[in-house]
Amino acid sequence: NLTSASGTTYLADTSYVRGGVAQGYQSGDSNAPYAMPYNCLANKDAPDVVYAADLFNKNSSGEFQITNLDDLKKLERAIATSRKTSSGTYYRNEKYIVTNNISGIDFYIGSFGGTFNGNSKTLTLNLSGASWTKTALFINATNATFKNLTLAGTISGGDYVASLVGTATNCTFTSVTNSATVSGNNYVGGIVAEATGTTTFQTSKNT
């Protein structure tokens, strides 16, 4: 299931390229929907991989739908592996909408630069970070937009601890509410631990 067009490699959703060879997962492999090893891109075996099928469904507004915990895990892996969508854009820069309340979130998502629409839903976190790492749902965000979202649960760590973003640069937060308990040492915030550049908050609050 490997084709090529205009120098771009297209892959079926259940396979990836390593050393120029398509590698397939067995049917039923839980990693198959979002499997793309980091070293595949890190060693530049396949620098322009584009998958034939997207990880998420899109709504009529062009937003990828995050429906459950597994979708958030897919997003985490897609960002960690610099995965691209079927149109060739990076998942980290795309638009997302949450369609249900999601609980049991005990992992972090890397650097984000897209739009995350909470759609008036609640994400419940249980994050515990080491003293030398940032602790938040999104470790870093640059030129990103977060809106219509509530954060709940418990977040603890050392420095740069928050419910939503560790360090936000040139980001916009609109109607974001933090009701989670957040604790740490330095640079501890409800929604964002560190806000830099032109980051703004509109109708956002801690409760």
Side-chain angles (χ1 to χ4, degrees), residues 3-162:
T3 60
S4 178
S6 303
T8 301
T9 302
Y10 290 85
L11 300 175
D13 199 42
T14 56
S15 57
Y16 63 89
V17 163
R18 175 179 287 166
V21 179
Q23 306 288 327
Y25 281 89
Q26 294 182 354
S27 177
D29 187 337
S30 61
N31 290 320
Y34 48 96
M36 183 176 177
Y38 175 78
N39 61 1
C40 179
L41 287 183
N43 62 23
K44 299 183 179 179
D45 288 336
D48 293 307
V49 170
V50 177
Y51 283 74
D54 286 319
L55 295 175
F56 317 96
N57 293 323
K58 272 188 177 180
N59 63 16
S60 59
S61 299
E63 298 168 304
F64 284 119
Q65 297 176 327
I66 302 296
T67 62
N68 52 37
L69 185 63
D70 189 55
D71 281 344
L72 273 181
K73 290 179 180 178
K74 291 178 185 179
L75 178 59
E76 184 276 326
R77 293 308 306 150
I79 290 176
T81 57
S82 296
R83 180 165 171 163
K84 291 182 179 181
T85 68
S86 61
S87 60
T89 58
Y90 287 104
Y91 277 102
R92 63 175 174 265
N93 296 326
E94 281 290 343
K95 298 186 296 182
Y96 299 88
I97 185 168
V98 180
T99 60
N100 296 294
N101 297 327
I102 301 175
S103 60
I105 303 168
D106 59 359
F107 53 90
Y108 320 113
I109 300 173
S111 297
F112 184 71
T115 297
F116 197 84
N117 179 5
N119 192 31
S120 300
K121 300 298 188 290
T122 297
L123 302 182
T124 302
L125 313 172
N126 181 20
L127 302 179
S128 179
S131 60
W132 61 88
T133 63
K134 296 178 183 179
T135 305
L137 179 57
F138 293 93
I139 299 302
N140 299 297
T142 302
N143 301 321
T145 296
F146 299 89
K147 59 184 179 181
N148 308 323
L149 178 65
T150 296
L151 289 310
T154 303
I155 302 96
S156 63
D159 297 340
Y160 299 95
V161 184

